Amino acid sequence: MTFLELKDLRIHFPSDDGLVKSVDGLSFRLERGKTLGIVGESGSGKSVTSLGILGLHKGGRAKISGEIWLDGEELVSASAEHVRTLRGKKMAMIFQDPLSAMHPFYTVGAQIMEAYRIHHDVSKKVARKHAIEMLDRVGIPQPDRRVDSYPHEFSGGMRQRAMIAMALSCDPELLIADEPTTALDVTVQAQILDLMRDLQRDFNAALIVITHDLGVVAELSDDILVMYAGKAIEYGTAEDIFERPEHPYTWGLLGSMPRLDRERTERLLPIKGSPPSLINVPPGCAFHPRCTFADRTGGRSTSEVPELLESEGGHLVRCHLSRDVRRTAWENEIKPNLEAS
Amino acid sequence: MVTYIIRRLIWAAVMLTIVSIITFAIFFLVPRLAGATPESLAARYVGRTANAEQVQIAAEKLGFNDPLVVQYGRFAKGIVAGADYDYGPGVEHCPAPCFGYSFLTRLPVWPDLLDRLPVTMSLAFGAAIIWVLAGVATGVVSALKRGSFFDRAAMTIALGGVSLPIFFTGIVSMVVFSYGNPFSITAPGGSYTPLLDDPVAWAYSLVLPWVTLAFLYAAGYARLTRAGMLETMNEDYIRTARAKGLAERTVVLKHGLRGALTPLVTIFGLDVGLLLGGAVLTESTYSLPGMGKYAIDAITNQDLPKVMGVVLFAAFFVVVANLIVDLLYAVVDPRVRLA
Ligand SMILES: Nc1ncnc2c1ncn2[C@@H]1O[C@H](COP(=O)(O)OP(=O)(O)OP(=O)(O)O)[C@@H](O)[C@H]1O
Ligand code: SF4
Ligand SMILES: [Mg+2]
């Protein structure tokens, strides 16, 4: 049985201007011990998806359909109260900016203890010991003293470690990290990524890493899902995505990926244009206004929504170009360019 | 921390000194500007039967002819160390803190103030408990059910509470609730009874003033709490609290309300401090013998020493409240460093 499976998940928000289709028919699977990277530009629906899995849109204005299967249980139709009991214990989340994501008025230790005691009926003393252990585990020096510090007394990297300690405190089976390193500087980013990789191996959790930085998913992921306008547009193993990507949008992302041998600010092949409106999604392929290949599909790009189809061995692509055209374009037009730059 | 407290204490002392100088200046200068002479001031001490010469002597002995600075020094010394009043026929010792003698009753002001304080404290603290509970609860529910019927009704009433004057709400509530009519929640008699004499009578005598005063403040607190909650409930840390699997009630109270608490604590401290100097309108509306009523009576009778005493006493509470708020601030928000 698949540990986590999304089937045609849709999360739409009614707004004054119309329905915001933040997630629009998303499906994927993830096994224990594996890491899925979800990449996409700002607004592609990554965070909405992760909050949706945790059930945090329940009771709000969101219209949710589809299925989320977690360890044999369906969560979209489950009661909010039931999903709440799974949160923190069965599935946990690490947020982007640990300064704003931790309560400024409670000590780091108190916040970890709270997370632990929701799901474990233990005394404060036991919970405190556990919190110190967790802080130690994520590499915070002098954890028995730092446990009484407030978040603002930590550095950015230490805060993110504490946030990870909090998320892991109940030994979750599914861990979602939403932009876990975006708020940190480069060297600290690398440390946090190392830490997450180690911890995931120890805990054998299923890990979803959400980012708009392909470099981060390259570090961690077994599989990669590329999202655009609430939909998956390419899905495959890390090798598929980095060695033989087949979607023009993925090519664009790879072109804008910061690389060690380049200045970080210098983005050689940025994707032109901006992400589409999620209310009036462009007809046909949502990417077509920005796609330099749209004129090679005989007009289908602007009129017909492409389906997510298997290219080869579980590698899925949502594009009207034929597989051969995509592969030739990658080999002859895109790859040489990326390598040259 | 300790140096911070010491610095704040010194600051409080400086503030009180400044307030006393200003008060002194106003109350000693203003009558003179209005045409009062040292003699006419002294006349108030020796009584109407005294002749011009006696008055003259008294004015000299009481120091009304001395330079203003010297007079202030004497006044300040009286508060700190007590004073001896030599008004001719005899010398009267006025122990510290000496705020002088009433023009009218010839009694020292300070014991009067102490007498009035329990009434005002009873009124202020009782009302404070009610308005905090009612105001904060209303604000929280309004924020969570934003745009609902409850929210709109509560905020409309709150707007009324903020804008209606207390002598209006006070009189309405007296008409509706006071003894003898169907909605009565007060006891017969209705005059103030000290807490230690009879707690039940005490509570009965204060129910209406409490509710009226609390209504006024609760309205403001409801609006403040609502605005604060609307802001904090959108914070990232609320999402984190939910992601932990906390029950919604805990998310709202332990994380949301806690985040919105800082401005409430500040305002609360200042409001209570201000009220301890006398809830002038409430006390006069309900004829409660508190500081506010005392101040009004003193002003009406142009009883200067009383007015000065009550003003300084009120200023003292405001300064102390400020001090407490400053210290509490660091307790409520650990990001505030006391240095
Ligand atoms: N509660 C909500 N109500 C209405 N619209 C929402 C809500 N939450 C998110 N959206 C919209 O859904 C879209 C997707 O948002 P989401 O946060 O998932 O993007 P993202 O991929 O995580 O982007 P980023 O990289 O900036 O974090 C955005 O256009 C956002 O405005
Ligand atoms: S379907 Fe057309 S527009 Fe969309 S990615 Fe493929 S080529 Fe580009
Ligand atoms: Mg996001």
Side-chain angles (χ1 to χ4, degrees):
Chain A
M1 181 178 53
T2 317
F3 176 62
L4 172 71
E5 181 167 12
L6 267 62
K7 288 185 184 164
D8 199 29
L9 181 70
R10 285 165 208 270
I11 303 178
H12 296 173
F13 297 96
S15 81
D16 293 343
D17 303 322
L19 207 55
V20 183
K21 296 175 183 159
S22 299
V23 178
D24 205 26
L26 192 65
S27 307
F28 65 77
R29 290 157 169 251
L30 180 62
E31 296 297 346
R32 280 198 178 87
K34 295 286 182 198
T35 300
L36 173 72
I38 302 183
V39 281
E41 287 169 302
S42 196
S44 52
K46 306 183 296 293
S47 297
V48 171
T49 304
S50 51
L51 296 176
I53 296 171
L54 277 148
L56 289 173
H57 295 303
K58 279 180 188 283
R61 288 171 306 138
K63 291 187 172 14
I64 310 170
S65 68
E67 294 165 30
I68 299 171
W69 290 89
L70 179 71
D71 205 9
E73 269 189 276
E74 207 288 299
L75 302 185
V76 171
S77 57
S79 75
E81 180 54 25
H82 178 65
V83 178
R84 177 178 79 75
T85 61
L86 301 178
R87 275 203 293 277
K89 171 111 189 79
K90 186 112 188 162
M91 48 188 179
M93 190 152 172
I94 299 168
F95 293 100
Q96 171 174 351
D97 181 358
L99 184 57
S100 61
M102 295 188 93
H103 203 298
F105 299 163
Y106 294 110
T107 62
V108 169
Q111 298 187 53
I112 299 175
M113 284 161 65
E114 182 182 47
Y116 189 61
R117 292 184 77 205
I118 298 169
H119 303 287
H120 299 86
D121 190 13
V122 297
S123 70
K124 280 206 168 139
K125 216 169 138 194
V126 173
R128 187 183 157 86
K129 212 169 134 259
H130 179 76
I132 294 172
E133 272 167 32
M134 289 308 301
L135 288 176
D136 191 34
R137 188 106 184 231
V138 296
I140 288 182
Q142 296 181 301
D144 48 335
R145 286 183 44 209
R146 299 304 262 163
V147 73
D148 294 317
S149 301
Y150 288 95
H152 71 272
E153 294 168 334
F154 276 33
S155 69
M158 286 296 157
R159 266 196 298 267
Q160 193 56 291
R161 285 171 191 266
M163 187 84 204
I164 293 172
M166 188 159 95
L168 291 179
S169 65
C170 293
D171 204 354
E173 293 165 60
L174 171 66
L175 183 62
I176 304 178
D178 192 350
E179 314 254 5
T181 59
T182 311
L184 308 172
D185 64 48
V186 191
T187 46
V188 181
Q189 277 191 8
Q191 293 167 4
I192 296 289
L193 291 180
D194 281 349
L195 173 70
M196 288 185 42
R197 203 183 8 235
D198 291 349
L199 289 173
Q200 191 218 0
R201 212 177 26 232
D202 294 355
F203 284 77
N204 196 35
L207 176 63
I208 297 180
V209 179
I210 292 174
T211 174
H212 45 240
D213 184 349
L214 269 175
V216 171
V217 291
E219 286 275 323
L220 294 174
S221 307
D222 300 302
D223 295 329
I224 295 173
L225 177 84
V226 183
M227 272 185 89
Y228 190 78
K231 287 186 163 72
I233 53 99
E234 185 161 10
Y235 175 87
T237 61
E239 208 183 303
D240 286 337
I241 301 297
F242 284 100
E243 301 301 325
R244 33 181 190 276
E246 290 193 24
H247 197 283
Y249 177 67
T250 312
W251 299 339
L253 283 181
L254 287 168
S256 62
M257 179 179 159
R259 290 200 326 216
L260 289 178
D261 52 351
R262 260 194 239 147
E263 287 288 318
R264 275 188 77 78
T265 47
E266 189 188 343
R267 299 205 154 179
L268 288 174
L269 294 168
I271 306 171
K272 286 196 198 68
S274 46
S277 147
L278 295 175
I279 297 171
N280 298 306
V281 184
C285 171
F287 186 55
H288 85 254
R290 303 166 73 189
C291 182
T292 47
F293 295 86
D295 53 3
R296 300 194 199 174
T297 56
R300 288 173 73 204
S301 288
T302 53
S303 60
E304 198 183 314
V305 179
E307 278 180 59
L308 190 66
L309 298 174
E310 180 156 5
S311 167
E312 192 181 0
H315 185 176
L316 309 177
V317 183
R318 190 190 290 276
C319 176
H320 287 308
L321 296 172
S322 73
R323 180 165 66 190
D324 292 340
V325 173
R326 295 192 303 246
R327 289 190 170 172
T328 328
W330 165 249
E331 288 297 338
N332 299 336
E333 298 175 47
I334 310 296
K335 198 171 158 196
N337 247 325
L338 285 179
E339 278 163 3
S341 58
Chain B
M1 182 75 189
V2 175
T3 49
Y4 176 82
I5 295 176
I6 292 172
R7 283 217 330 249
R8 297 304 306 178
L9 280 173
I10 294 173
W11 177 237
V14 169
M15 281 307 294
L16 278 176
T17 312
I18 294 173
V19 171
S20 74
I21 291 175
I22 294 173
T23 320
F24 182 84
I26 292 174
F27 289 110
F28 272 61
L29 280 180
V30 167
R32 275 155 219 249
L33 293 178
T37 59
E39 286 75 27
S40 67
L41 289 172
R44 301 208 172 221
Y45 284 85
V46 291
R48 295 213 171 86
T49 53
N51 62 30
E53 198 188 347
Q54 281 172 315
V55 168
Q56 189 80 46
I57 292 166
E60 192 64 40
K61 292 219 160 159
L62 286 168
F64 287 143
N65 293 317
D66 293 344
L68 198 67
V69 186
V70 176
Q71 292 197 39
Y72 171 72
R74 201 161 30 230
F75 168 73
K77 182 170 166 266
I79 294 175
V80 180
D84 289 314
Y85 280 83
D86 177 355
Y87 51 92
V91 179
E92 186 97 32
H93 179 69
C94 168
C98 174
F99 286 90
Y101 290 83
S102 158
F103 285 160
L104 221 62
T105 61
R106 311 284 162 83
L107 293 171
V109 170
W110 176 247
D112 263 2
L113 290 177
L114 285 188
D115 235 31
R116 302 299 184 110
L117 189 59
V119 183
T120 296
M121 278 178 137
S122 301
L123 176 62
F125 289 139
I129 292 169
I130 299 177
W131 88 57
V132 163
L133 293 180
V136 170
T138 309
V140 168
V141 176
S142 267
L144 295 182
K145 308 243 178 260
R146 183 184 190 176
S148 66
F149 174 76
F150 176 90
D151 179 30
R152 273 179 261 186
M155 286 307 115
T156 310
I157 295 171
L159 189 64
V162 173
S163 19
L164 292 179
I166 200 132
F167 47 80
F168 177 76
T169 49
I171 286 167
V172 168
S173 71
M174 274 204 282
V175 170
V176 178
F177 296 114
S178 58
Y179 187 71
N181 76 38
F183 305 106
S184 168
I185 48 170
T186 43
S191 66
Y192 177 77
T193 316
L195 172 64
L196 295 179
D197 291 4
D198 181 351
V200 176
W202 170 80
Y204 261 131
S205 66
L206 284 167
V207 163
L208 273 188
W210 278 340
V211 171
T212 314
L213 192 59
F215 177 56
L216 176 81
Y217 282 90
Y221 281 64
R223 287 155 62 96
L224 198 67
T225 307
R226 179 179 182 272
M229 286 297 284
L230 285 178
E231 206 179 303
T232 52
M233 289 307 286
N234 273 322
E235 295 281 355
D236 287 356
Y237 58 72
I238 295 297
R239 198 184 50 194
T240 309
R242 291 200 176 111
K244 285 179 182 180
L246 281 174
E248 192 59 19
R249 181 169 26 92
T250 318
V251 172
V252 169
L253 297 179
K254 186 170 167 196
H255 290 257
L257 187 56
R258 180 68 181 79
L261 214 57
T262 316
L264 285 172
V265 168
T266 310
I267 300 279
F268 183 69
L270 298 181
D271 279 345
V272 172
L274 212 55
L275 265 188
L276 286 178
V280 174
L281 290 176
T282 310
E283 288 175 16
S284 359
T285 308
Y286 291 98
S287 302
L288 287 171
M291 307 274 294
K293 184 79 171 24
Y294 187 75
I296 290 287
D297 292 346
I299 291 167
T300 324
N301 296 324
Q302 295 185 20
D303 202 340
L304 269 187
K306 277 189 174 182
V307 178
M308 279 179 62
V310 101
V311 167
L312 282 178
F313 210 42
F316 171 77
F317 285 120
V318 171
V319 170
V320 169
N322 261 298
L323 188 69
I324 293 175
V325 164
D326 279 347
L327 297 178
L328 264 186
Y329 209 76
V331 177
V332 178
D333 187 343
R335 288 171 303 183
V336 175
R337 283 212 182 276
L338 299 184

